[in-house]
Amino acid sequence: QVHLVESGGGLVQAGDSLRLSCAASGRTSSVYAMGWFRQTPGKEREFVAVISRNGGRTYYADSVKGRFTISRDNAKNTVYLQMNSLKPEDTAVYYCAAGTNVLVVLPQYKDQYDYWGQGTQVTVSS
């Protein structure tokens, strides 16, 4: 019903910046909060950031706060993750997520989201 496609990943050096994009299609009117998660091999998927439907409220994991910025353009049905001052520990597959519930109580948990993209690889070399 809702399809999410991430883009913008790549290989960068520590201290560099990247901007990830997530384009939503399908029943986008049902989407409220949108978030970003990341996952490394052998690890659980980890919360990164979330943004409310109108973009007025955001929340970040402590590990990225002050370095990453989430934003969205509803006219384009797209959410972005601007990543600055990248560190090797930021290396992961980054996933876009969309929630269809108007109320997201625990945005850091995966079960709060209904749709997921296939992910885009971000690799930060030291």
Side-chain angles (χ1 to χ4, degrees):
Q1 297 187 57
V2 177
H3 296 88
L4 305 174
V5 180
E6 303 96 334
S7 62
L11 173 63
V12 298
Q13 294 182 323
D16 285 355
S17 297
L18 277 176
R19 189 182 74 160
L20 306 183
S21 298
C22 173
S25 61
R27 297 184 61 185
T28 56
S29 62
S30 68
V31 173
Y32 288 86
M34 296 189 71
W36 288 94
F37 287 72
R38 64 188 183 186
Q39 187 170 23
T40 56
K43 303 294 183 181
E44 295 296 316
R45 197 165 296 185
E46 175 189 38
F47 170 78
V48 176
V50 66
I51 188 168
S52 60
R53 184 169 185 154
N54 65 3
R57 302 181 73 87
T58 59
Y59 180 72
Y60 299 90
D62 288 343
S63 59
V64 306
K65 194 172 185 178
R67 298 188 297 120
F68 291 10
T69 302
I70 189 171
S71 61
R72 68 192 296 172
D73 183 344
N74 289 339
K76 297 181 178 179
N77 294 314
T78 300
V79 64
Y80 305 94
L81 185 67
Q82 178 67 46
M83 304 184 294
N84 297 328
S85 301
L86 283 163
K87 305 174 181 179
E89 51 263 46
D90 294 319
T91 295
V93 177
Y94 282 71
Y95 296 90
C96 178
T100 59
N101 195 325
V102 66
L103 178 63
V104 178
V105 179
L106 300 170
Q108 69 269 39
Y109 293 117
K110 299 186 296 293
D111 61 4
Q112 301 298 298
Y113 303 89
D114 303 289
Y115 300 98
W116 296 84
Q118 295 302 305
T120 185
Q121 176 70 47
V122 172
T123 302
V124 184
S125 63
S126 59

